[in-house]
Amino acid sequence: MHPMLNIAVRAARNAGDIIQRATDNIGQLHINRKGQYDFVSEIDFKAEQEIIKTIRQAYPDHAFLAEESGEHQGNDYVWVIDPLDGTTNFLHGFPQYAVSIALKVKGKLEIGVIYDPTRNDLYTAERGSGAMLNNRRIRVSNQTKLDSALLGTGFPFKSDEYLDAYLALFKPLCIATSGIRRAGAAALDLAYVACGRLDGFWEIGLKEWDMAAGILLIKEAGGVVTDFSFNDSYLESGNVLTGSPKMHQLMYKTIEPYIDEKIKRQSGGVT
């Protein structure tokens, strides 16, 4: 295992331990609102601090982009951190949340780790070396028919700005597929695409820390990731469409007539 991947795994497991220890006392946690439907708990902060501390002990000059504390300046190595993706699920005792850690080197994703502490599932990826789940190699699904596919998605719940645009995409995919799941933790949704539990996934308005690790997992597992204009500006726009090469093609063909022009411009598809 690459030394930096080993450190990322250690940091993710340390954060997962903090999260799981807190599950017995959720009702006593201090909780704030970042937005109308966006919550943050003291555990988010503690888990993030633990991740940064663990990585800094090994790499004191590295930079960070973290959900709760923002940017920490450093060199060309940037750790992208979501300490608890699925905070609302966690606060309700709904066991669908994860730690997500990615490393970018000069702008390129090099390492990705997603840790599900409720199942002790560890997803890891290194650029050019494949993706793993609990040390077993994983691949995206081989599903080739949309009417047999199970897709994942996420609602644009933080703002109603893109709700109509999202619903316009949801309807044709809902009609065309065998099922759609919205579990509320994008990092795990992307990990599930990487290991074939989901055949595809799409969402509008994600943040870089929500998807950086998951995107590398999918690519290293043989999948395709684009925005809604078939470009690669998903980290900037927050709009993502992903699956196996065949499933991605089928999903894009299905939704293309319904993609809002504003979303296309956001993804760099309209000038």
Side-chain angles (χ1 to χ4, degrees), residues 22-213:
T23 57
D24 292 332
N25 301 293
I26 289 176
Q28 300 175 28
L29 295 179
H30 182 69
I31 302 166
N32 290 322
R33 286 180 180 264
K34 292 192 289 185
Q36 185 176 3
Y37 307 111
D38 195 8
F39 299 93
V40 60
S41 75
E42 61 186 274
I43 298 304
D44 294 72
F45 289 103
K46 288 180 180 179
E48 183 172 293
Q49 290 167 1
E50 178 61 30
I51 292 168
I52 293 173
K53 183 184 79 171
T54 301
I55 295 172
R56 272 188 170 154
Q57 286 174 344
Y59 304 108
D61 297 327
H62 286 194
F64 295 87
L65 174 62
E67 178 175 13
E68 308 307 340
S69 58
E71 293 187 41
H72 303 243
Q73 297 301 314
N75 57 22
D76 289 334
Y77 292 75
V78 182
W79 295 89
V80 184
I81 300 166
D82 190 338
L84 177 50
D85 185 53
T87 299
T88 299
N89 286 347
F90 167 73
L91 294 175
H92 286 80
F94 187 83
Q96 189 76 1
Y97 46 84
V99 180
S100 179
I101 302 173
L103 173 64
K104 294 198 304 182
V105 182
K106 296 182 178 180
K108 290 186 177 181
L109 289 169
E110 296 287 343
I111 285 172
V113 173
I114 295 174
Y115 179 53
D116 177 353
T118 69
R119 300 171 181 84
N120 197 28
D121 278 346
L122 180 69
Y123 304 83
T124 59
E126 295 180 58
R127 188 164 72 92
S129 298
M132 312 282 281
L133 168 55
N134 298 330
N135 295 317
R136 290 188 174 186
R137 189 171 294 275
I138 54 176
R139 298 289 294 177
V140 294
S141 81
N142 58 8
Q143 180 58 252
T144 60
K145 295 182 179 180
L146 198 58
D147 62 7
S148 299
L150 178 65
L151 305 182
T153 189
F155 305 145
F157 68 95
K158 295 180 183 179
S159 168
D160 60 6
E161 181 181 2
Y162 296 110
L163 183 58
D164 288 340
Y166 171 82
L167 292 174
L169 306 181
F170 181 90
K171 184 176 179 179
L173 287 171
C174 185
I175 293 170
T177 60
S178 67
I180 294 176
R181 302 290 181 263
R182 192 274 183 180
L188 276 182
D189 290 331
L190 295 170
Y192 284 7
V193 173
C195 71
R197 292 176 181 171
L198 290 171
D199 298 304
F201 175 83
W202 87 98
E203 188 163 352
I204 294 172
L206 288 171
K207 298 296 186 182
E208 186 171 346
W209 48 74
D210 296 318
M211 55 180 169

